[in-house]
Amino acid sequence: MIPLSKLASAVFLTLSAAFIVGTATITIAQERQARPVARLITDSADGYTRPRRIADPATPAPLSKNESPTLTEANDVERRVFDLTNEARLRHGLHPLKWDAELARMARMHSENMARDNFFSHQTPKGERLKDRARAIGIARFKILAENIAFNQGFADPGALAVERWLISPGHRANILYREYDASAVGVFVSDNGAVYLTQAFIAR
């Protein structure tokens, strides 16, 4: 775990980055909190700190008929994360990323699954990793695929907090500033107790 400085009276909770060849195996049960919370988790399961290329996966059947939201259909938090990510890339001389509706669908599904099944990880309780989730919704051809996840509760701007924390964590920052990605998307789910789950996906096709 990477030590973090205190932010106001908050205790930092949940941010996590994953690359296609090595997703986190840490699972954390979330409890109700009376104060703002955020926690940081770095993925060091396989020692990789940068996105890695993989072979194209086999073409699967789509998992369901859930809609794939366009950028104009993104909610305020999703749009906030996407815009701040592109602002960070532009500050570092990188091209902005395009919104990918398929990634948005996958990201929303993962955020909702984390909330409903009470886990926080790139791997589901069923053992499905990032590449498995991509195949399940029909994302069949890509060069690189990666993901950041975050959880926070009690903050007025949960999207900005997530991007801020990601940018001070080497693994998450590497995803946001990796020059070879061409598209990204964000999927957010807010649980009944106000906990905000965020999944940010990146792709190079």
Side-chain angles (χ1 to χ4, degrees):
M1 179 158 311
I2 298 176
L4 299 173
S5 59
K6 293 182 179 178
L7 174 63
S9 61
V11 177
F12 290 112
L13 217 167
T14 71
L15 303 177
S16 184
F19 310 117
I20 191 64
V21 295
T23 55
T25 56
I26 301 172
T27 301
I28 296 179
Q30 307 297 344
E31 299 178 356
R32 289 181 179 271
Q33 300 289 336
R35 58 182 177 176
V37 289
R39 181 182 299 160
L40 180 69
I41 301 171
T42 55
D43 178 13
S44 58
D46 57 17
Y48 289 120
T49 58
R50 297 215 176 262
R52 309 289 290 206
R53 296 184 182 279
I54 66 165
D56 288 342
T59 302
L63 181 64
S64 68
K65 295 186 180 298
N66 291 347
E67 293 183 2
S68 299
T70 64
L71 183 56
T72 57
E73 295 168 332
N75 63 42
D76 291 344
V77 178
E78 292 166 343
R79 184 66 178 262
R80 177 81 162 145
V81 172
F82 184 73
D83 289 345
L84 289 174
T85 296
N86 274 336
E87 288 177 16
R89 290 177 63 85
L90 289 170
R91 286 196 303 271
H92 288 82
L94 301 171
H95 63 273
L97 300 172
K98 298 176 293 184
W99 180 269
D100 187 294
E102 287 183 304
L103 288 185
R105 177 184 166 204
M106 181 182 72
R108 281 186 175 182
M109 291 173 67
H110 190 59
S111 291
E112 182 173 356
N113 287 341
M114 286 193 291
R116 294 194 185 283
D117 293 341
N118 198 32
F119 74 99
F120 181 77
S121 175
H122 300 287
Q123 181 174 328
T124 72
K126 296 179 180 179
E128 298 166 327
R129 297 176 181 269
L130 175 56
K131 64 180 180 180
D132 303 315
R133 292 187 274 113
R135 290 172 179 172
I137 67 163
I139 300 176
R141 302 186 68 82
F142 53 86
K143 297 176 182 176
I144 311 169
L145 186 66
E147 181 179 76
N148 290 338
I149 59 174
F151 163 96
N152 60 63
Q153 183 176 6
F155 290 91
D157 194 342
L161 176 70
V163 175
E164 175 191 334
R165 298 291 96 186
W166 283 333
L167 285 171
I168 63 173
S169 168
H172 309 85
R173 182 183 177 88
N175 270 346
I176 289 174
L177 300 181
Y178 191 62
R179 68 176 56 253
E180 292 195 39
Y181 296 139
D182 48 53
S184 179
V186 183
V188 170
F189 185 83
V190 182
S191 66
D192 291 340
N193 67 358
V196 182
Y197 292 80
L198 306 95
T199 301
Q200 180 182 47
F202 304 88
I203 197 166
R205 295 186 186 275

